[in-house]
Amino acid sequence: MLDKKKKSIILIVLFFVITYCILYAIGIALTPENKELIQTYRTVELKSVFAEDDNTLDALVVGHSGVLYGSSPMEMYDAYGITSYNLAKTTQAPFEAYHTLTEVLKHQTPKVIVLNIDEFTYDKFDNLAKIAGLDFLNKAFPIFNVHTRWKYIAEDQVIPRSITKNYCCYSTIKPYKGHKKMEPTDKVHHIFKPWEKYLNKICDLCEERGIGIIFVEYPTKTFWNYKRHNGFQIFADNRGIKFIDFNLLEEEIGLDWSHDTCDKGDHMNAYGAKKCSLYVAKYITETYGLVNHRGEEKYAKWEEDLQKYRETYGEIEI
C-alpha cells in the first residue's frame, strides 16, 4: 500500500501530465493544416507574406528591427515598380532568419535577397534565451499560438494582405544629438561561430537556388562601428558578395540625423527609411535587371496596396 505522501505526489504528476496532454491535443486540433497561418506576437504582419501571390516577389529583405524600420517595400515599388517584402522581426536571431527564408522560398522565387547583417553580431544572450524559450513553449504547447483559432473553426482562416509589407512606418522625429562617427580602424570583428554557420547557410541557400544576395547595414548610431564593418566586409569579399554599409554612405544618401531617426539614432523613421529603400531599390534594379511592374495586370493588387498605403501614411517627402 502506498502511503498518503506518495499517493499525493502521483496524483499531482498525473494531473499535470493529463492537463498537458489535453492542452497539447486542443492545440493540435486548432492548428490549421497550413502552419504558415500560425501567428505569434513577433510575426503577425510578417505572416502576410503568404498572402502574396506565389512567385510575384522580386526581392526579400531580411533582418531585425533595423530592417523593420529601415526598409519600405511600397516606396521601392512606387519609385521602381519592383515587388519586395520586409521579412523582419524584432531581435531576430540568425537561425530565425534562415528558417523564415526557407519557408518563404517554398512560395516565392526572388531574384535577390537583401540581408541586414548586424543581427549576426548578437551577443545579447538574454534576449536570445527569451526567443529560444518562447519557441520551445510554442512547440510544446501549440495552443499558445492558436488559442483564438476556435473563432474560425467553422471556416478557413484567411491571411490578410499587408499594405506596408511588414514595414513599420513612423514619421516621428527624435533627433540624434551625439557626435559618434565611424572612425577607421584595422581591428576586425570575429563573427560568433554559430552565427557564422547560419550566415553561410543563408549564402549557400541563395547559391543553390540561383538567387542573388547582398549584405546591408542600415544606419544606426547605437552600436555599429568600423571594427564590425571590417569583419563583415572581409566575409563578403571572401564570398564575392556586395556589402552596402549605410553608415559609410550618409552624405551620399543625404541622411540627416537631426531629422531621419525616430528614436535618437537607433532606427530610421519614414524619411530615413525612404532614402535607404530607394538606394537599395536602384542598386538591385540595375544589378539584377528587375522589371518595373507598374501597370501590369498581374500586379493590380500592388496598385491597390499602394493607394491604401498613401491614404494611410501620405507622401513621404525627402
Side-chain angles (χ1 to χ4, degrees):
M1 296 285 292
L2 294 173
D3 58 38
K4 291 184 178 180
K5 185 176 182 180
K6 288 183 178 179
K7 283 184 178 180
S8 296
I9 293 174
I10 291 173
L11 288 173
I12 291 171
V13 171
L14 282 175
F15 170 78
F16 282 109
V17 170
I18 292 171
T19 300
Y20 171 78
C21 290
I22 292 172
L23 290 175
Y24 188 85
I26 294 173
I28 293 298
L30 293 178
T31 299
E33 183 177 345
N34 181 358
K35 291 183 174 59
E36 291 152 358
L37 291 173
I38 298 175
Q39 297 181 345
T40 69
Y41 82 103
R42 297 168 66 242
T43 63
V44 173
E45 282 283 303
L46 188 152
K47 288 296 180 181
S48 288
V49 66
F50 297 109
E52 300 294 331
D53 293 337
D54 284 2
N55 303 316
T56 57
L57 295 178
D58 298 317
L60 299 172
V61 188
V62 184
H64 57 28
S65 58
V67 170
L68 199 62
Y69 293 89
S71 181
S72 175
M74 296 314 298
E75 296 296 347
M76 296 167 75
Y77 177 74
D78 194 14
Y80 289 90
I82 62 175
T83 54
S84 62
Y85 207 94
N86 185 320
L87 298 182
K89 300 178 187 178
T90 56
T91 323
Q92 178 170 252
F95 57 84
E96 290 184 300
Y98 173 74
H99 291 304
T100 296
L101 262 182
T102 58
E103 286 301 310
V104 175
L105 291 179
K106 292 177 183 177
H107 301 273
Q108 300 294 338
T109 53
K111 296 289 195 303
V112 59
I113 303 296
V114 179
L115 182 64
N116 188 52
I117 46 79
D118 65 20
E119 71 183 67
F120 296 90
T121 67
Y122 271 158
D123 53 8
K124 298 178 180 178
F125 289 103
D126 55 336
N127 287 332
L128 295 177
K130 291 175 185 176
I131 293 169
L134 286 169
D135 185 58
F136 170 77
L137 286 174
N138 289 332
K139 290 177 180 176
F141 296 93
I143 195 171
F144 286 172
N145 275 335
V146 293
H147 63 280
T148 58
R149 176 66 175 165
W150 64 271
K151 298 178 182 178
Y152 311 98
I153 200 68
E155 58 183 348
D156 290 332
Q157 188 180 18
V158 177
I159 303 176
R161 289 180 68 83
S162 167
I163 63 170
T164 67
K165 312 306 175 186
N166 193 44
Y167 159 64
C168 288
C169 184
Y170 286 101
S171 57
T172 303
I173 299 173
K174 291 187 178 180
Y176 169 71
K177 297 180 180 180
H179 303 283
K180 182 180 177 181
K181 294 183 179 180
M182 286 277 285
E183 298 293 345
T185 180
D186 293 329
K187 293 181 180 180
V188 175
H189 170 79
H190 297 288
I191 306 171
F192 185 44
K193 287 298 180 182
W195 299 163
E196 185 177 24
K197 168 189 171 183
Y198 277 98
L199 188 54
N200 275 308
K201 283 170 73 73
I202 290 173
C203 293
D204 292 341
L205 178 65
C206 290
E207 189 174 319
E208 292 165 6
R209 301 288 186 91
I211 302 170
I213 183 171
I214 67 170
F215 291 172
V216 173
E217 176 57 27
Y218 286 83
T220 179
K221 288 292 187 181
T222 57
F223 66 91
W224 191 251
N225 55 47
Y226 224 110
K227 177 181 177 181
R228 287 177 172 174
H229 168 86
N230 289 340
F232 287 95
Q233 187 66 67
I234 290 171
F235 183 96
D237 290 343
N238 287 338
R239 294 212 54 147
I241 295 171
K242 173 70 173 179
F243 177 24
I244 298 172
D245 188 343
F246 279 116
N247 297 285
L248 298 178
L249 298 174
E250 294 179 4
E251 292 186 11
E252 185 171 343
I253 67 172
L255 193 67
D256 180 357
W257 283 107
S258 69
H259 183 268
D260 296 337
T261 173
C262 63
D263 53 7
K264 302 180 181 180
D266 195 11
H267 300 96
M268 295 287 91
N269 58 21
Y271 311 104
K274 184 170 182 177
K275 292 174 182 179
C276 294
S277 299
L278 295 185
Y279 186 97
V280 170
K282 183 176 187 294
Y283 177 82
I284 62 176
T285 296
E286 295 175 348
T287 303
Y288 297 97
L290 303 185
V291 176
N292 188 331
H293 298 300
R294 299 293 304 271
E296 292 184 21
E297 183 177 351
K298 183 178 179 180
Y299 296 89
K301 291 178 182 177
W302 276 76
E303 290 297 319
E304 294 173 8
D305 292 340
L306 179 59
Q307 182 177 349
K308 293 176 183 177
Y309 177 80
R310 290 299 180 211
E311 290 172 354
T312 303
Y313 299 102
E315 291 286 344
I316 309 299
E317 301 292 341
I318 59 174

